[in-house]
Amino acid sequence: MSSNYIHALVQRHGALERRIEDALKSPAPDTLYITSLKKLRLAYRDLILEAKRQKRIRSTSTRTRRWPRAPTAASAPVQQLGGGH
């Protein structure tokens, strides 16, 4: 996931947070409306966490891994031929 996508999700999550705060300040808060906003906010939170997880997985999988080199003929132990008398 791109940083722009995550940033957009964070912005929407913050906007929902402000809408919830405003709704709670009203003299007669609509609990059904507030509940739906809170569920939506939690959904955005989950999307943000998933996007960050995917970004982390993708960034670690694209790194170059250095595996040990296979032994070459020059580095292999020399075997003695013959009877070894």
Side-chain angles (χ1 to χ4, degrees):
M1 301 289 160
S2 73
S3 295
N4 291 335
Y5 176 68
I6 295 171
H7 180 71
L9 290 176
V10 169
Q11 292 293 320
R12 291 177 187 164
H13 182 270
L16 282 170
E17 186 72 37
R18 289 185 294 279
R19 286 173 63 184
I20 291 168
E21 289 172 6
D22 290 343
L24 287 171
K25 291 177 186 176
S26 71
D30 182 359
T31 56
L32 186 59
Y33 175 68
I34 293 170
T35 302
S36 66
L37 288 178
K38 286 182 176 183
K39 286 183 180 181
L40 193 56
R41 181 188 61 182
L42 289 174
Y44 273 109
R45 184 197 66 185
D46 292 342
L47 286 172
I48 292 166
L49 293 175
E50 179 64 21
K52 286 181 178 180
R53 187 182 70 80
Q54 288 294 325
K55 185 176 179 182
R56 196 172 332 128
I57 289 171
R58 193 174 48 174
S59 70
T60 57
S61 67
T62 58
R63 286 190 205 149
T64 305
R65 291 192 177 136
R66 295 187 179 226
W67 299 101
R69 289 187 172 183
T72 61
S75 66
V78 179
Q79 295 179 346
Q80 298 236 343
L81 297 176
H85 300 313

